[in-house]
């Protein structure tokens, strides 16, 4: 069997879900930045972590406001997601530029993106610096998914697939579902 080296170690950990992180910024605008390095951390308390390059404005926004909505785009939003990752909210009003429709959240003061198929409402708990990245630990205060998009097994990917990020411009939808057998 032959193996080859990936372009980078992290290529082996993609495709993975990409989210659009929305927060309110020191420049007075709402910013929206795609992030694919996101992970659940604990259930009690409900916690996630975001890995954000220290140069990215969304980091300053979350630290300024202390809250973020984590929006789950479907494959319908592939161009918007890629576009939001090519400009900075420092220079551009991304909400205007990309025509994002926003709605209020329930437990946090930042808005969410109407078109997304689900969202989490989060507050900043802790920052840990690793390399070029700030790992933000965020407590999840509330979460919702579009009812027609979920089953008892999570996303009903025959109706709406969350968007997965491969690398660069390459994105994926979720593929086949496999049920594991029961042990005798
Ligand atoms: C699909 C996709 C996934 C991305 N994932 C991350 C990520 O996990 N962490 C990160 O810091 N930047 C990530 N980026 C890059 C930022 O979204 C990009 O640098 C953005 O322009 C920063 O905007 P801001 O300065 O307004 O925050 C990603 C971009 C794309 C398109």
């Amino acid at each position: 069997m032959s193996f080859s080296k990936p372009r980078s170690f992290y290529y082996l950990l993609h495709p993975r879900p990409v989210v659009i992180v929305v927060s309110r910024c020191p420049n007075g605008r709402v910013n929206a930045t795609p992030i694919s390095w996101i992970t659940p951390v604990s259930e009690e308390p409900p916690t996630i972590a975001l890995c954000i390059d220290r140069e990215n404005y969304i980091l300053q926004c979350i630290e300024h406001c202390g809250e973020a909505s984590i929006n789950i785009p479907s494959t319908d939003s592939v161009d918007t997601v890629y576009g939001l990752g090519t400009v900075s909210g420092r220079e551009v009003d991304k909400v205007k530029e990309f025509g994002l429709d926003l709605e209020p959240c329930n437990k946090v003061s930042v808005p969410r993106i109407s078109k997304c198929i689900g969202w989490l409402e989060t507050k900043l708990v802790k920052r840990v610096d690793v390399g070029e990245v700030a790992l933000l630990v965020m407590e999840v205060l509330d979460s919702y998914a579009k009812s027609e998009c979920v089953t008892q097994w999570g996303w009903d990917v025959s109706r709406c697939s969350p968007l997965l990020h491969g690398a660069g411009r390459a994105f994926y939808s979720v593929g086949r579902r496999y049920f594991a057998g029961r042990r005798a």
Side-chain angles (χ1 to χ4, degrees), residues 34-183:
I35 296 289
S36 54
W37 287 18
I38 172 172
T39 181
V41 174
S42 80
E43 279 195 276
E44 215 27 80
T47 305
I48 61 165
L50 303 170
C51 300
I52 305 183
D53 191 298
R54 280 198 291 276
E55 308 256 296
N56 286 345
Y57 191 48
I58 196 69
L59 173 63
Q60 256 176 275
C61 306
I62 298 171
E63 290 200 303
H64 164 77
C65 130
E67 296 175 335
S69 68
I70 310 295
N71 299 268
I72 319 293
S74 73
T75 47
D76 294 347
S77 300
V78 62
D79 293 333
T80 305
V81 167
Y82 187 75
L84 289 169
T86 57
V87 289
S88 177
R90 236 182 236 106
E91 288 96 36
V92 174
D93 182 342
K94 293 196 216 175
V95 172
K96 239 197 210 155
E97 180 89 10
F98 291 89
L100 301 179
D101 286 327
L102 302 175
E103 285 181 46
C105 279
N106 292 300
K107 303 239 168 90
V108 294
S109 64
V110 296
R112 65 180 178 89
I113 300 175
S114 315
K115 195 182 173 192
C116 285
I117 56 174
W119 78 95
L120 289 78
E121 303 184 8
T122 65
K123 76 165 188 212
L124 178 61
V125 173
K126 185 179 192 166
R127 167 177 170 162
V128 180
D129 284 78
V130 183
E132 78 286 6
V133 158
L135 185 149
L136 296 188
V137 178
M138 312 285 298
E139 184 175 342
V140 178
L141 304 179
D142 217 348
S143 55
Y144 296 88
K146 234 185 188 175
S147 308
E148 77 231 41
C149 291
V150 283
T151 69
Q152 61 167 319
W153 307 108
W155 293 114
D156 180 352
V157 295
S158 66
R159 286 165 172 259
C160 19
S161 174
L163 184 64
L164 308 182
H165 186 218
R169 286 177 181 275
F171 291 82
Y172 297 81
S173 54
V174 176
R176 284 187 59 191
R177 179 168 64 191
Y178 300 88
F179 282 104
R182 291 180 202 281
R183 294 190 72 186

